Amino acid sequence: MPIISIVEERPDTVDAAQLITELEAHLTPLYPVESCHGFSIDKLLREGVAFFVTRCDGLAAGCGGIKLYGLEYAEVKRMYVRPQFRGFGLGKRMLAQLSEYSQQHGITILRLETGIHQTEAIGLYEGFGFQRISPFGDYFDDPVSLCYEKRLDL
């Protein structure tokens, strides 16, 4: 069994930046510019997003962030697992980490936005208990965008 860890890291570390760059390279050709809502590294830092890197036997395998909106809700940002590490439950572990972080900060609602072409991610989110909702925050009705929510106090 590999040793898996999830550690909070700045998004501008080498490993975190590489993961974010890979995620962008994967998503950019799939969606029009106006439908791309991912935060840049600079924006992750400016917005105070708590950012985590998953490591598998010491290798950076995935990442995820969480932005708190007061005590109203927290939004999952920049979720990604490198293809060679998929199928090992790392996405579920990251969602559990982000949920725990949110609850420690008094948040009981998690939200996220994802694209319609992210079928594996959609399966992960729905399997983790997220349910479809209308656009929230700065999101808008977009045929290639889906918004989800999960209550953590249930």
Side-chain angles (χ1 to χ4, degrees):
M1 284 297 280
I3 298 171
I4 297 169
S5 63
I6 299 177
V7 178
E8 189 169 1
E9 274 185 37
R10 287 177 52 99
D12 58 354
T13 63
V14 172
D15 286 339
Q18 286 177 340
L19 289 162
I20 293 167
T21 300
E22 287 176 30
L23 174 59
E24 278 302 308
H26 174 72
L27 295 177
T28 299
L30 299 175
Y31 301 100
V33 173
E34 64 273 9
S35 297
C36 294
H37 306 288
F39 283 12
S40 66
I41 293 169
D42 287 341
K43 189 167 184 178
L44 289 167
L45 291 167
R46 264 194 329 272
E47 296 285 326
V49 174
F51 197 79
F52 298 85
V53 173
T54 303
R55 296 185 186 284
C56 188
D57 287 335
L59 299 173
C63 61
I66 194 82
K67 177 169 173 39
L68 306 180
Y69 288 85
L71 292 175
E72 187 179 349
Y73 67 93
E75 183 180 356
V76 175
K77 302 299 285 182
R78 309 285 29 194
M79 276 279 298
Y80 178 66
V81 175
R82 285 183 161 147
Q84 65 268 34
F85 294 101
R86 293 181 185 161
F88 299 111
L90 301 184
K92 286 180 191 169
R93 287 182 185 219
M94 180 59 75
L95 285 174
Q97 173 69 35
L98 299 176
S99 297
E100 182 180 321
Y101 181 91
S102 298
Q103 287 177 304
Q104 289 171 350
H105 288 83
I107 304 293
T108 59
I109 297 173
L110 274 187
R111 292 182 177 160
L112 62 88
E113 180 276 339
T114 193
I116 62 169
H117 303 301
Q118 307 319 111
T119 55
E120 290 175 339
I122 292 166
L124 169 68
Y125 300 140
E126 290 179 354
F128 200 78
F130 280 88
Q131 297 182 351
R132 288 275 308 274
I133 60 169
S134 299
F136 63 94
D138 292 335
Y139 299 108
F140 51 88
D141 282 323
D142 183 339
V144 297
S145 178
L146 301 171
C147 292
Y148 285 90
E149 177 177 284
K150 177 179 178 163
R151 294 198 56 89
L152 300 175
D153 57 349
L154 298 178

